Amino acid sequence: MLLFKLDGKPQMVGTQHGARVPEPSEPALRRLSHHLLARYQKGTRPVRDWRTTTNVAIDLMVYAILSVDEKNQVLTTYIWYRQHWTDEFLQWDPARFDNLTQISLPVESIWVPDILINEFVDVGKSPHVPYVYVSHHGEVQNLKPIQVMTACSLDIYNFPFDVQNCSLTFTSWLHHIRDINLSLWRQPELVKFDRSVFMNQGEWELLYVLTHFQEFSVKSSDSYAEMKFYVVIRRRPLFYTVSLLLPSIFLMLMDIVGFYLPPHSGERVSFKITLLLGYSVFLIIVSDTLPATAVGTPLIGIYFVVCMALLVISLTETILIVRLVHKQDLQPHVPEWVKHLLLEKATVLLCIRDRKKFSQSRMQDLDTSRQVENNDSTAKPTPYVCEGPRECGAVGSTRSALAFAGQTEGSAALQEILRETTAIRQLLEKREEFRDAAREWLQVGYVLDVLLFRVYLAAVLAYSITLGTLWSVWRDA
């Protein structure tokens, strides 16, 4: 150390090591910084006895959920991270430095623990904080915000009512537990429900943060300490309910209303085909909204597929009914077992009020056709009655003459007339028989349409109730 006297006062301007010694007139912060960092070795763990374990207390507060990438299974969060440990070489007497008990030092100038997050998959855009706080007891506080991109096993089966549980595991990458041990800065209850800094305006809401400490070893090597923070978040489903579920529900309701169209008209088939095409376009539009993973399919995707299948079943049922009630001229009469099951048993089971009306109209038609047949078959020409003997004789002689004269010519024309009349009668009888069969098939088609509609409605209601119950249970769990 070199000493010089200027104006009769000794001053220190240097040391034998070449480091500058602060003058007594310098500020306390500068003198303390030079005092602490003059001979500090940041390359070694700051303990005087190597057997002493450095205890690092950590804390975490979630500030925002930036993104959840279901396809790549990556969670991006913005957290406030804090570390606290004791550095035995950063201690001083506050009385020597103007009662200064705390100072900020550059983080590059001191030793910091090599604590990393095991789930790191990419370096986020985190702001750089160049300083740490050091107290006169040697306690170091490292406070910094971090944008964390971590791997997380995302379960999207309950989308959009899903709850995700992602872990952030803090551990020393090199030092085992005898060198660096980890602990929690605050109480677990305070960490669990701390949402004081969380930005609660995005798609995800923070439920709670769980903590867990454990030791682990790899292949019987030294044990390492790790502190796990389980960040539990829940998706807000309002947007997806309005844009995905409600349009699908409205289309299914329109499909059910379409059953009230008369089955004997062709409008029902075209209406249901239009609904099916509209639902297909809807699925193409929302396919980009649904989360895509290689692990599984969300339940809402299964819901859309089942709705599509129900629309196809509804269209198939409509085609079957229309086939029954149209163009039955070439069909035989309804079998007796079909009449017994559908026109008698099914009408009672389905509580169809107009089943008597159908049977009465059918019987009236049959009775009317039979009366016409009886009248035609019993109809005979009325004989002519004469008034006097002369008139009767004249008529008789005239008839005999005409009969004799036109016997050969009239017999052929009469036979032709009788043949045409018989053909027309047979045609009318055949047509009436076809109409009777058509009425029977029409009645069978109406009853079968009601039966299939109620079965379809029961299936839709059961599926909707089951799906709604599952989503409600998963959301409240």
Side-chain angles (χ1 to χ4, degrees):
M1 182 180 297
L2 301 178
L3 299 177
F4 296 91
K5 290 184 179 181
L6 298 175
D7 300 332
K9 296 182 181 180
Q11 293 183 353
M12 294 182 294
V13 297
T15 63
Q16 58 183 356
H17 299 284
R20 183 174 179 273
V21 177
E23 299 177 358
S25 59
E26 288 184 333
L29 283 175
R30 185 176 298 179
R31 289 190 293 112
L32 179 58
S33 175
H34 291 169
H35 171 73
L36 295 177
L37 301 179
R39 297 184 179 181
Y40 189 85
Q41 299 291 332
K42 66 176 184 179
T44 57
R45 194 163 55 92
V47 291
R48 302 186 184 277
D49 186 1
W50 64 271
R51 300 177 184 86
T52 304
T53 302
T54 301
N55 187 24
V56 181
I58 60 178
D59 189 20
L60 182 145
M61 290 186 293
V62 179
Y63 184 79
I65 306 297
L66 300 182
S67 67
V68 178
D69 189 353
E70 294 88 355
K71 183 176 182 180
N72 297 318
Q73 300 284 293
V74 174
L75 172 67
T76 304
T77 56
Y78 195 79
I79 62 174
W80 289 3
Y81 175 60
R82 300 191 294 177
Q83 293 178 342
H84 176 275
W85 70 92
T86 299
D87 193 323
E88 298 181 2
F89 299 110
L90 296 178
Q91 299 176 352
W92 70 90
D93 184 8
R96 296 177 52 190
F97 299 94
D98 198 12
N99 294 324
L100 186 61
T101 59
Q102 198 173 40
I103 187 174
S104 61
L105 297 177
V107 68
E108 292 85 1
S109 301
I110 65 172
W111 178 90
V112 293
D114 58 336
I115 296 178
L116 302 177
I117 300 178
N118 290 343
E119 294 85 358
F120 258 131
V121 294
D122 196 1
V123 178
K125 299 178 180 178
S126 304
H128 176 65
V129 179
Y131 297 100
V132 295
Y133 259 127
V134 183
S135 67
H136 67 284
H137 296 296
E139 297 176 354
V140 183
Q141 297 183 14
N142 187 12
L143 314 177
K144 55 183 178 181
I146 306 176
Q147 180 177 334
V148 184
M149 300 181 65
T150 57
C152 179
S153 179
L154 300 174
D155 185 9
I156 61 170
Y157 184 74
N158 303 330
F159 175 88
F161 306 99
D162 51 333
V163 176
Q164 306 297 339
N165 187 356
C166 298
S167 62
L168 302 178
T169 306
F170 294 86
T171 183
S172 175
W173 189 254
L174 178 64
H175 298 86
H176 48 73
I177 195 172
R178 292 194 304 270
D179 292 338
I180 294 180
N181 192 14
L182 300 180
S183 62
L184 195 61
W185 192 331
R186 295 183 295 169
Q187 294 296 325
E189 293 77 12
L190 299 178
V191 178
K192 181 177 181 180
F193 298 105
D194 185 9
R195 291 190 289 268
S196 58
V197 300
F198 181 70
M199 298 295 293
N200 197 22
Q201 301 297 327
E203 179 184 356
W204 296 86
E205 60 176 329
L206 178 66
L207 297 182
Y208 46 83
V209 179
L210 301 177
T211 57
H212 176 67
F213 173 80
Q214 68 178 10
E215 299 181 15
F216 76 98
S217 60
V218 180
K219 294 182 180 180
S220 301
S221 61
D222 294 329
S223 298
Y224 294 85
E226 66 179 16
M227 181 67 68
K228 284 182 174 290
F229 291 86
Y230 295 96
V231 180
V232 182
I233 56 178
R234 179 172 58 192
R235 192 192 306 266
R236 291 188 174 91
L238 180 60
F239 170 76
Y240 299 98
T241 302
V242 174
S243 61
L244 298 182
L245 293 181
L246 289 183
S248 178
I249 293 174
F250 291 156
L251 289 176
M252 294 302 298
L253 290 177
M254 291 304 300
D255 180 66
I256 294 175
V257 173
F259 278 94
Y260 287 95
L261 290 174
H264 59 273
S265 66
E267 296 297 329
R268 183 191 286 189
V269 176
S270 60
F271 177 76
K272 289 187 176 293
I273 290 177
T274 304
L275 279 180
L276 187 60
L277 293 177
Y279 201 84
S280 302
V281 175
F282 168 74
L283 291 184
I284 294 175
I285 295 175
V286 304
S287 60
D288 296 334
T289 307
L290 296 178
T293 61
V295 179
T297 303
L299 184 61
I300 192 173
I302 301 176
Y303 162 75
F304 288 145
V305 172
V306 173
C307 289
M308 176 70 76
L310 290 175
L311 290 177
V312 173
I313 293 174
S314 174
L315 178 60
T316 305
E317 183 269 344
T318 301
I319 294 175
L320 175 63
I321 297 302
V322 172
R323 175 64 182 85
L324 285 178
V325 301
H326 277 75
K327 295 183 179 180
Q328 307 93 339
D329 294 343
L330 301 180
Q331 293 184 5
H333 284 277
V334 179
E336 293 297 329
W337 63 272
V338 176
K339 294 180 182 179
H340 178 73
L341 290 179
L342 293 180
L343 302 184
E344 297 179 7
K345 299 295 183 180
T347 52
V348 176
L349 181 63
L350 299 175
C351 299
I352 299 178
R353 297 179 180 178
D354 54 350
R355 63 181 186 275
K356 295 182 179 180
K357 174 183 174 183
F358 284 157
S359 58
Q360 289 177 0
S361 63
R362 178 175 173 271
M363 293 301 297
Q364 290 176 0
D365 293 338
L366 292 177
D367 293 340
T368 302
S369 62
R370 288 173 182 174
Q371 289 177 3
V372 172
E373 292 177 0
N374 292 333
N375 293 333
D376 291 341
S377 61
T378 56
K380 295 182 180 180
T382 304
Y384 178 77
V385 180
C386 56
E387 296 179 355
R390 295 181 178 179
E391 186 177 355
C392 292
V395 170
S397 61
T398 304
R399 286 180 177 176
S400 59
L402 291 173
F404 180 79
Q407 182 176 5
T408 57
E409 296 179 359
S411 60
L414 183 61
Q415 292 178 357
E416 184 66 23
I417 293 174
L418 291 176
R419 189 180 301 111
E420 293 293 335
T421 305
T422 304
I424 294 173
R425 180 179 178 179
Q426 292 177 354
L427 179 62
L428 294 176
E429 291 177 353
K430 196 69 174 176
R431 180 177 296 178
E432 188 64 26
E433 183 180 357
F434 287 155
R435 289 179 179 176
D436 190 18
R439 295 190 194 99
E440 292 178 352
W441 283 112
L442 181 62
Q443 185 177 357
V444 169
Y446 272 100
V447 175
L448 188 61
D449 180 60
V450 175
L451 176 62
L452 294 179
F453 166 68
R454 295 187 180 181
V455 172
Y456 177 79
L457 184 61
V460 172
L461 290 177
Y463 176 68
S464 302
I465 293 173
T466 303
L467 197 64
T469 304
L470 291 177
W471 272 334
S472 300
V473 170
W474 287 325
R475 184 177 182 182
D476 297 336

